[in-house]
Amino acid sequence: MRLPAGHPSGRRRPRHGLPHRRDRLRRGGPLSPSPDPPPSPAHRTDPPMPLHPQAEALRARRASSGAPPLYTLTLAEARAADLADIRAAAGAPEPVAAVEEHRIPGPGGELALRLYRPEPPGRRLPALLYLFGGGWTLGSPDTSDAICRRLTNAAGCVTASVGYRLAPEHPFPAALHDCRAALLQLVERAAEFGIDPGRLAVGGDSAGGNLTAALTLLLRADGGPALRHQLLVYPNTDHGADTPSLRENDDPALFNRRSVAWYWGHYLADEGEGASPYASPLRAATLAGLPPATVLTAEYDPLRDEGEQYAEALRAAGVPVELRRYRGMPHGFFAMTGTLDAAAEAQDFAADRLRAALW
C-alpha cells in the first residue's frame, strides 16, 4: 500500500531556493482561489461496498507482517520501502519495444527523462507524460515503471516519465516547474524523440494526479502547449479538504488521513501556499478551457471525495469528463496489477481513454 514516510509534524521548514516562477505560483498567477469547492457528487452516498477480498487480503498481510508504517521511518528508509512495496504489488513488468534514458535541462538542474516506446523508432507517435505518485516526497521514474509499460503498450503511445524534484528538499512549486520543463522538452525535441507534438496527454496518480491537474492550469495560463487529454488517478486537489472520505479513512494499515497531512506538510514550506490553485487545483476560480479528463477514484481512499469534486467542477466548467470510482479499492490500487484484478481493469480503461484521445 502507498503509505507515507517520516512522521507527522507541524513544524514549518525554512524556505529553500525557489524557482523563477515561484512568486507567481504562490499567488496563483492569473487564477484566484475559489472560496468554496463544489459539493461532492451525489453517488458518494451510495451504500459502501466492503473492502474487496483481494484488497482485504493485502491489508491483512500488511497488518500482520509487523512492517512499520512508512511515516515512522526516515525519508531514506521510507523511499526505499515504498519502491519495494510497489514493485512487489505490480507483478512482472510488461516488455515494451524500447526504454530510453535521457537527461534534460530543468529549472533547478538536469532531470532524468525516461521514454517507453510501443514499437521501434520510425514514425512519430502520440505521447503521454506520466507523473509518478508518492506525495511529492517519495518516488522516481522507477515508481511508475510498470504503469508506464502497460499504458505504452495498450494506448500505443510513447510514454515519458520525469524524475521531478522531491520535497521536503525541494518544496512547492519545484515539482510542478520540473513537470512543465519535461513537457516543453517533449515538444521542443519532438523530432528527436519520435513524438507528434500535436498529440500530447498528461497523467499521473495521487500526487502525480495533483501535478497533472496543476500543470494543465499552468499551461492554460501560458497559452500552451495544447493537450489532448488529462488522466487523473485519485488526485489530491485541495489542501484545505475536510471531506467525509478524509475523515472516515483512518485505518493505519492503509493510506489514511494522517498520510495525507504528512505529505502536504512536506510539500508546502508554508501552509498558506495551499490556497494557490497550483497546489490545490480545486481552488481555481475557473476550470474552463482545460483538456478533457478521465478521473479515477477509489472507494477506500481519503482523497476520494476531493477527486470526485474536481471531476464535477471540471464538468460544470464545460470540460468533458469521464469519472469512474472503483468500489472496494484502497488508495494506491492502480499500481497493484500483480495483486488486484481491479488495477489491471483500471489501467486498461485509462489506456482506452488515452487511445481514443490520441489516435
Side-chain angles (χ1 to χ4, degrees), residues 20-196:
H20 66 287
R21 297 166 61 89
R22 175 149 191 168
D23 287 343
R24 175 183 167 194
L25 293 186
R26 288 181 60 216
R27 295 192 303 270
L31 305 172
S32 59
S34 174
D36 297 301
S40 300
H43 69 259
R44 192 195 65 191
T45 60
D46 291 346
M49 172 183 175
L51 198 63
H52 189 282
Q54 289 180 331
E56 177 57 48
L58 191 64
R59 181 206 168 279
R61 288 196 299 272
R62 175 77 181 181
S64 65
S65 70
L70 297 187
Y71 54 76
T72 66
L73 305 178
T74 67
L75 274 176
E77 291 169 340
R79 286 168 177 168
D82 181 63
L83 179 58
D85 286 348
I86 288 171
R87 283 174 165 167
E94 282 191 7
V96 294
V99 179
E100 301 171 3
E101 303 289 350
H102 297 269
R103 304 294 296 181
I104 60 171
E110 278 196 335
L111 300 169
L113 182 73
R114 182 178 297 172
L115 300 181
Y116 299 82
R117 297 189 182 279
E119 60 185 51
R123 59 173 179 156
R124 290 201 183 189
L125 297 174
L128 164 70
L129 175 62
Y130 192 86
L131 308 175
F132 61 82
W136 313 280
T137 304
L138 316 177
S140 72
D142 290 337
T143 302
S144 58
D145 179 70
I147 293 173
C148 289
R149 288 170 178 271
R150 283 181 59 93
L151 294 180
T152 296
N153 288 333
C157 64
V158 174
T159 300
S161 178
V162 61
Y164 61 79
R165 288 170 292 171
L166 299 177
E169 299 92 336
H170 304 283
F172 171 83
L176 178 56
H177 283 151
D178 291 349
C179 296
R180 177 182 178 272
L183 185 71
L184 293 180
Q185 283 289 297
L186 294 182
V187 174
E188 293 171 8
R189 299 168 64 178
E192 174 189 350
F193 291 155
I195 288 170
D196 177 356

Side-chain angles (χ1 to χ4, degrees), residues 39-44 229 232-235 293-298 303-315 319-326 349 353:
S40 300
H43 69 259
R44 192 195 65 191
H229 203 74
L232 308 174
V233 182
Y234 34 74
T294 298
V295 182
L296 308 183
T297 64
L303 303 181
R304 181 195 69 211
D305 291 349
E306 63 192 83
E308 294 176 1
Q309 285 176 345
Y310 193 68
E312 294 302 316
L314 286 168
R315 185 175 289 122
V319 177
V321 177
E322 183 73 23
L323 169 63
R324 181 168 293 191
R325 179 194 292 185
Y326 285 82
F349 175 68
R353 294 280 294 166

Side-chain angles (χ1 to χ4, degrees), residues 269-296:
D270 185 323
E271 284 190 5
E273 294 175 326
S276 167
Y278 295 116
S280 298
L282 189 57
R283 295 289 167 175
T286 178
L287 302 179
L290 295 180
T294 298
V295 182
L296 308 183

Side-chain angles (χ1 to χ4, degrees), residues 233-234 296-298 326 329-337 340 342-343 346:
V233 182
Y234 34 74
L296 308 183
T297 64
Y326 285 82
M329 287 293 114
H331 186 89
F333 84 96
F334 190 74
M336 302 178 187
T337 49
L340 303 174

